[in-house]
Every structure is written in C-alpha cells, then in structure tokens.
Amino acid sequence: MNILIAAPTSREYRNITAAIERLHDKRHNYETVCCGVGKAAAAATVAAAVTRSEHPYDLIAVIGYAAGTADFRQGDIVEPSQVRYHDCNIPDGFVPELTDPYPLIGGDGTQLFTGDSFVDASIVRDIKSHFGITRAIFDMEIGAVAIAASLCGAIPVAAVKMISDVPEQGHTDLSYEEFADTHSDFMPLLERLERR
C-alpha cells in the first residue's frame, strides 16, 4: 500500500520518520508530512499532499500523541474506530459533515474527538456528558483529516495514537511535554501500520 502519514508536530514527525528509517523489509510505501497542529492546518496540508502526489494513496494515517479519558494510561497505544468534532455548536443533522462521526479503518472500537484546543478535565467531563460516552481519546487534527480525505477521493483514514496525558488524572500541557520528551520511540505505532 501507498500510505501517507500525517504527523501534527515537528516532534511527532521526527519520531515517525526515525522509526521508518529503522524499519527493515517494509510492507508498505510511506510518505510523511508534518501537517501542523489544529484542524485547518491538518486538512490543508493533507489535501495539498494528496493533490500534488504523483501516485494515489491507499491510506492516510495520522500518527502521534493524544489525550485520553481516565481508563487510559500514559503510553497506551490506541487505534480509534471513529472520529467526530467535539467543538461544533451546531444542531445534529443541520451540517452533517461537521456533526456526524467519520469511520476510521482498522480501529479497536475507541471513539476519538477532535477540537481546536487542548482538553482539560472540565472539557473532558463536558464531552462525556454531551455525547453520552465514558471512554474516548482526544486530538486536534483527525476529524479535519477525515473530511479532507473524503473530499479528495474518499481515501480511507486510520489513526494510531499514543496516550500522552490523562486530564482527569490531573495531567496538563506540562505533563504532555514531559511525556513526549521521554517517549519518542514510534516504532510500536509504525508496527501497527505494518500489520495492515
């Protein structure tokens, strides 16, 4: 398969490219982009990469860190099955491309929520209450990447995330930084893609 890997931050980009360089006998062809943090940057970067590519992509994979609800631990690797925005204040069904969930292939049943902010314990509590869920992970890009992939030829999207912080356990942006500084080996994330 030809796989486009989108890594939001320069740190995540370095981590995944280092893992690709160390991997021998790759099953797939990988191209990587640093897609930027947030919905707009991620969607624009992925759409540009897809339209400029000389060959079609079979899969877009978003790799990196994510926050999780209290039943996750730092270091857990998660492959969510669907993504939706948590920060759209729009009635359900009014703009379905923004309010409906998008499927992610190869997932483990976990829901992922995308929004343009770091989540803290109160935001996680509000999301759980609003959507009636107890378990989920949170990022700032995948929902937008799923929309871009849909508009660029219905390319399947997968996500492999390492839990960097658990806001309900008191973790903050400082906790994220400390974790990311000491957990830079993305080979376990890349191995998840290699199994496809």
Side-chain angles (χ1 to χ4, degrees):
M1 281 198 297
N2 292 319
I3 299 177
L4 174 65
I5 296 179
T9 68
S10 58
R11 174 177 9 214
E12 291 162 322
Y13 178 81
R14 284 192 308 271
N15 293 351
I16 195 61
T17 54
I20 292 169
E21 289 170 6
R22 293 193 335 258
L23 185 66
H24 300 290
D25 300 322
K26 299 174 187 68
R27 291 186 63 199
H28 308 298
N29 298 315
Y30 297 103
E31 292 183 25
T32 57
V33 293
C34 184
C35 65
V37 175
K39 294 184 285 193
T45 301
V46 166
V50 168
T51 56
R52 291 177 185 157
S53 178
E54 295 178 2
H55 55 79
Y57 293 111
D58 302 301
L59 178 70
I60 297 171
V62 184
I63 300 289
Y65 302 109
T69 51
D71 50 346
F72 288 103
R73 295 173 312 195
Q74 287 180 300
D76 285 348
I77 297 174
V78 184
E79 297 180 74
S81 297
Q82 70 173 18
V83 62
R84 68 189 314 167
Y85 287 153
H86 69 77
D87 59 353
C88 284
N89 190 12
I90 299 170
D92 284 344
F94 191 70
V95 187
E97 59 271 25
L98 293 180
T99 58
D100 288 358
Y102 283 80
L104 300 172
I105 69 161
D108 59 16
T110 303
Q111 293 186 69
L112 184 143
F113 290 88
T114 294
D116 270 328
S117 63
F118 271 48
V119 294
D120 59 21
S122 66
I123 293 173
V124 170
R125 190 168 45 251
D126 290 346
I127 293 168
K128 289 168 78 171
S129 174
H130 178 77
F131 291 98
I133 54 104
T134 58
R135 186 174 193 269
I137 66 171
F138 311 94
D139 89 326
M140 299 173 67
E141 296 83 24
I142 296 176
V145 169
I147 292 172
S150 175
L151 295 173
C152 290
I155 303 167
V157 176
V160 184
K161 291 288 194 167
M162 182 184 295
I163 300 300
S164 55
D165 53 297
V166 181
E168 292 168 298
Q169 295 176 357
H171 293 163
T172 64
D173 54 343
L174 180 59
S175 306
Y176 163 83
E177 289 293 334
E178 290 172 348
F179 179 87
D181 284 345
T182 57
H183 291 77
S184 60
D185 183 6
F186 274 20
M187 187 62 78
L189 283 70
L190 181 59
E191 288 170 348
R192 299 290 182 105
L193 292 179
E194 279 288 291
R195 294 178 196 157
R196 294 171 192 273

